Amino acid sequence: MNTALSWVALGRNLYRTTYKNDVWWLTATPKEKHPWVLYTERKHKGRTVRDKVQEIGSSTLDDARHAAELWFSLDKFCGTNGGDGRDH
């Protein structure tokens, strides 16, 4: 990874960053299988839905952010940016 991303805290368990012109959200999901989820949003039929989604199995915020940044860094090798291989 070249540099760490800037994460903006929007609430106790909600964070935002920008990667390749996409806004990404990192939110805690303690009742789900994976404690964190990283995703983008888009409008669909007049409502906001999650678009690109990556579950993160880290237990702490710092580890989840590090995992997200690692996932972004792998984009150029295996198309992790939503799994479609596009270079955004």
Side-chain angles (χ1 to χ4, degrees):
M1 283 178 288
N2 295 338
T3 59
L5 296 172
S6 174
W7 292 93
V8 177
L10 300 172
R12 183 168 180 232
N13 293 313
L14 180 62
Y15 302 85
R16 181 187 69 217
T17 194
T18 302
Y19 176 74
K20 291 189 173 181
N21 297 319
D22 286 327
V23 174
W24 287 85
W25 306 89
L26 179 65
T27 188
T29 54
K31 295 182 180 182
E32 302 295 326
K33 180 179 177 184
H34 295 91
W36 294 89
V37 65
L38 178 69
Y39 61 94
T40 61
E41 293 180 333
R42 66 179 172 87
K43 292 289 186 184
H44 178 72
K45 296 183 179 180
R47 62 187 182 106
T48 302
V49 297
R50 288 184 180 177
D51 188 22
K52 303 167 192 165
V53 178
Q54 176 63 44
E55 295 175 323
I56 298 176
S58 302
S59 58
T60 68
L61 170 60
D62 286 340
D63 289 345
R65 286 192 296 211
H66 179 74
E69 291 175 13
L70 178 62
W71 188 74
F72 288 138
S73 75
L74 295 174
D75 177 47
K76 65 182 173 185
F77 300 110
C78 55
T80 56
N81 198 355
D84 60 9
R86 294 180 291 165
D87 185 20
H88 298 267

PDB file of all heavy atoms in Angstrom, residues 25-38:
ATOM      1  N   TRP A  25     -18.112   2.963   2.616  1.00  0.00           N
ATOM      2  CA  TRP A  25     -18.580   2.991   4.000  1.00  0.00           C
ATOM      3  C   TRP A  25     -18.058   1.748   4.706  1.00  0.00           C
ATOM      4  O   TRP A  25     -18.072   0.656   4.151  1.00  0.00           O
ATOM      5  CB  TRP A  25     -20.101   3.003   4.025  1.00  0.00           C
ATOM      6  CG  TRP A  25     -20.688   4.099   3.204  1.00  0.00           C
ATOM      7  CD1 TRP A  25     -21.018   4.045   1.876  1.00  0.00           C
ATOM      8  CD2 TRP A  25     -20.979   5.418   3.624  1.00  0.00           C
ATOM      9  NE1 TRP A  25     -21.511   5.250   1.456  1.00  0.00           N
ATOM     10  CE2 TRP A  25     -21.500   6.117   2.510  1.00  0.00           C
ATOM     11  CE3 TRP A  25     -20.866   6.087   4.842  1.00  0.00           C
ATOM     12  CZ2 TRP A  25     -21.897   7.439   2.583  1.00  0.00           C
ATOM     13  CZ3 TRP A  25     -21.268   7.408   4.901  1.00  0.00           C
ATOM     14  CH2 TRP A  25     -21.776   8.069   3.786  1.00  0.00           C
ATOM     15  N   LEU A  26     -17.617   1.927   5.929  1.00  0.00           N
ATOM     16  CA  LEU A  26     -17.194   0.810   6.780  1.00  0.00           C
ATOM     17  C   LEU A  26     -18.064   0.869   8.019  1.00  0.00           C
ATOM     18  O   LEU A  26     -18.070   1.874   8.735  1.00  0.00           O
ATOM     19  CB  LEU A  26     -15.716   0.952   7.153  1.00  0.00           C
ATOM     20  CG  LEU A  26     -15.142  -0.131   8.060  1.00  0.00           C
ATOM     21  CD1 LEU A  26     -15.137  -1.488   7.351  1.00  0.00           C
ATOM     22  CD2 LEU A  26     -13.731   0.239   8.502  1.00  0.00           C
ATOM     23  N   THR A  27     -18.810  -0.185   8.249  1.00  0.00           N
ATOM     24  CA  THR A  27     -19.727  -0.171   9.385  1.00  0.00           C
ATOM     25  C   THR A  27     -19.635  -1.475  10.168  1.00  0.00           C
ATOM     26  O   THR A  27     -19.391  -2.538   9.598  1.00  0.00           O
ATOM     27  CB  THR A  27     -21.173   0.091   8.924  1.00  0.00           C
ATOM     28  OG1 THR A  27     -22.003   0.273  10.053  1.00  0.00           O
ATOM     29  CG2 THR A  27     -21.727  -1.036   8.085  1.00  0.00           C
ATOM     30  N   ALA A  28     -19.807  -1.346  11.463  1.00  0.00           N
ATOM     31  CA  ALA A  28     -19.800  -2.522  12.329  1.00  0.00           C
ATOM     32  C   ALA A  28     -21.105  -3.287  12.166  1.00  0.00           C
ATOM     33  O   ALA A  28     -22.176  -2.693  12.047  1.00  0.00           O
ATOM     34  CB  ALA A  28     -19.618  -2.106  13.789  1.00  0.00           C
ATOM     35  N   THR A  29     -20.994  -4.604  12.132  1.00  0.00           N
ATOM     36  CA  THR A  29     -22.170  -5.473  12.019  1.00  0.00           C
ATOM     37  C   THR A  29     -22.033  -6.591  13.054  1.00  0.00           C
ATOM     38  O   THR A  29     -21.846  -7.757  12.704  1.00  0.00           O
ATOM     39  CB  THR A  29     -22.280  -6.054  10.595  1.00  0.00           C
ATOM     40  OG1 THR A  29     -21.031  -6.692  10.263  1.00  0.00           O
ATOM     41  CG2 THR A  29     -22.578  -4.980   9.579  1.00  0.00           C
ATOM     42  N   PRO A  30     -22.096  -6.247  14.345  1.00  0.00           N
ATOM     43  CA  PRO A  30     -21.794  -7.217  15.409  1.00  0.00           C
ATOM     44  C   PRO A  30     -22.724  -8.427  15.467  1.00  0.00           C
ATOM     45  O   PRO A  30     -22.329  -9.471  15.983  1.00  0.00           O
ATOM     46  CB  PRO A  30     -21.895  -6.388  16.690  1.00  0.00           C
ATOM     47  CG  PRO A  30     -22.723  -5.208  16.324  1.00  0.00           C
ATOM     48  CD  PRO A  30     -22.470  -4.951  14.869  1.00  0.00           C
ATOM     49  N   LYS A  31     -23.914  -8.321  14.917  1.00  0.00           N
ATOM     50  CA  LYS A  31     -24.840  -9.452  14.970  1.00  0.00           C
ATOM     51  C   LYS A  31     -24.761 -10.338  13.726  1.00  0.00           C
ATOM     52  O   LYS A  31     -25.460 -11.334  13.631  1.00  0.00           O
ATOM     53  CB  LYS A  31     -26.265  -8.961  15.178  1.00  0.00           C
ATOM     54  CG  LYS A  31     -26.440  -8.282  16.517  1.00  0.00           C
ATOM     55  CD  LYS A  31     -27.851  -7.830  16.740  1.00  0.00           C
ATOM     56  CE  LYS A  31     -27.946  -7.153  18.113  1.00  0.00           C
ATOM     57  NZ  LYS A  31     -29.287  -6.727  18.414  1.00  0.00           N
ATOM     58  N   GLU A  32     -23.908  -9.961  12.781  1.00  0.00           N
ATOM     59  CA  GLU A  32     -23.743 -10.714  11.542  1.00  0.00           C
ATOM     60  C   GLU A  32     -22.570 -11.684  11.664  1.00  0.00           C
ATOM     61  O   GLU A  32     -21.831 -11.667  12.640  1.00  0.00           O
ATOM     62  CB  GLU A  32     -23.517  -9.759  10.370  1.00  0.00           C
ATOM     63  CG  GLU A  32     -24.633  -8.756  10.162  1.00  0.00           C
ATOM     64  CD  GLU A  32     -25.956  -9.392   9.772  1.00  0.00           C
ATOM     65  OE1 GLU A  32     -25.945 -10.418   9.060  1.00  0.00           O
ATOM     66  OE2 GLU A  32     -27.007  -8.875  10.194  1.00  0.00           O
ATOM     67  N   LYS A  33     -22.380 -12.491  10.640  1.00  0.00           N
ATOM     68  CA  LYS A  33     -21.286 -13.474  10.620  1.00  0.00           C
ATOM     69  C   LYS A  33     -19.917 -12.792  10.702  1.00  0.00           C
ATOM     70  O   LYS A  33     -19.020 -13.251  11.387  1.00  0.00           O
ATOM     71  CB  LYS A  33     -21.383 -14.328   9.355  1.00  0.00           C
ATOM     72  CG  LYS A  33     -20.310 -15.375   9.233  1.00  0.00           C
ATOM     73  CD  LYS A  33     -20.488 -16.192   7.965  1.00  0.00           C
ATOM     74  CE  LYS A  33     -19.357 -17.174   7.825  1.00  0.00           C
ATOM     75  NZ  LYS A  33     -19.455 -17.905   6.548  1.00  0.00           N
ATOM     76  N   HIS A  34     -19.774 -11.679   9.967  1.00  0.00           N
ATOM     77  CA  HIS A  34     -18.522 -10.916   9.976  1.00  0.00           C
ATOM     78  C   HIS A  34     -18.763  -9.598  10.704  1.00  0.00           C
ATOM     79  O   HIS A  34     -19.766  -8.929  10.464  1.00  0.00           O
ATOM     80  CB  HIS A  34     -18.054 -10.658   8.547  1.00  0.00           C
ATOM     81  CG  HIS A  34     -17.700 -11.916   7.832  1.00  0.00           C
ATOM     82  ND1 HIS A  34     -18.620 -12.621   7.078  1.00  0.00           N
ATOM     83  CD2 HIS A  34     -16.554 -12.616   7.780  1.00  0.00           C
ATOM     84  CE1 HIS A  34     -18.044 -13.691   6.582  1.00  0.00           C
ATOM     85  NE2 HIS A  34     -16.781 -13.715   6.986  1.00  0.00           N
ATOM     86  N   PRO A  35     -17.840  -9.207  11.601  1.00  0.00           N
ATOM     87  CA  PRO A  35     -18.055  -8.020  12.437  1.00  0.00           C
ATOM     88  C   PRO A  35     -18.091  -6.681  11.702  1.00  0.00           C
ATOM     89  O   PRO A  35     -18.588  -5.704  12.232  1.00  0.00           O
ATOM     90  CB  PRO A  35     -16.876  -8.047  13.408  1.00  0.00           C
ATOM     91  CG  PRO A  35     -16.306  -9.404  13.337  1.00  0.00           C
ATOM     92  CD  PRO A  35     -16.645  -9.939  11.990  1.00  0.00           C
ATOM     93  N   TRP A  36     -17.561  -6.603  10.482  1.00  0.00           N
ATOM     94  CA  TRP A  36     -17.521  -5.351   9.732  1.00  0.00           C
ATOM     95  C   TRP A  36     -17.914  -5.606   8.286  1.00  0.00           C
ATOM     96  O   TRP A  36     -17.675  -6.684   7.749  1.00  0.00           O
ATOM     97  CB  TRP A  36     -16.115  -4.740   9.757  1.00  0.00           C
ATOM     98  CG  TRP A  36     -15.699  -4.314  11.112  1.00  0.00           C
ATOM     99  CD1 TRP A  36     -15.052  -5.070  12.054  1.00  0.00           C
ATOM    100  CD2 TRP A  36     -15.920  -3.046  11.717  1.00  0.00           C
ATOM    101  NE1 TRP A  36     -14.861  -4.338  13.195  1.00  0.00           N
ATOM    102  CE2 TRP A  36     -15.383  -3.095  13.008  1.00  0.00           C
ATOM    103  CE3 TRP A  36     -16.516  -1.866  11.278  1.00  0.00           C
ATOM    104  CZ2 TRP A  36     -15.427  -2.008  13.868  1.00  0.00           C
ATOM    105  CZ3 TRP A  36     -16.556  -0.784  12.140  1.00  0.00           C
ATOM    106  CH2 TRP A  36     -16.009  -0.860  13.420  1.00  0.00           C
ATOM    107  N   VAL A  37     -18.472  -4.573   7.646  1.00  0.00           N
ATOM    108  CA  VAL A  37     -18.768  -4.646   6.219  1.00  0.00           C
ATOM    109  C   VAL A  37     -18.327  -3.337   5.564  1.00  0.00           C
ATOM    110  O   VAL A  37     -18.515  -2.254   6.121  1.00  0.00           O
ATOM    111  CB  VAL A  37     -20.257  -4.964   5.937  1.00  0.00           C
ATOM    112  CG1 VAL A  37     -21.166  -3.855   6.413  1.00  0.00           C
ATOM    113  CG2 VAL A  37     -20.497  -5.254   4.472  1.00  0.00           C
ATOM    114  N   LEU A  38     -17.696  -3.476   4.405  1.00  0.00           N
ATOM    115  CA  LEU A  38     -17.215  -2.363   3.602  1.00  0.00           C
ATOM    116  C   LEU A  38     -18.082  -2.331   2.347  1.00  0.00           C
ATOM    117  O   LEU A  38     -18.282  -3.364   1.708  1.00  0.00           O
ATOM    118  CB  LEU A  38     -15.751  -2.615   3.230  1.00  0.00           C
ATOM    119  CG  LEU A  38     -15.046  -1.608   2.348  1.00  0.00           C
ATOM    120  CD1 LEU A  38     -14.838  -0.298   3.092  1.00  0.00           C
ATOM    121  CD2 LEU A  38     -13.709  -2.167   1.879  1.00  0.00           C
TER     122      LEU A  38
END
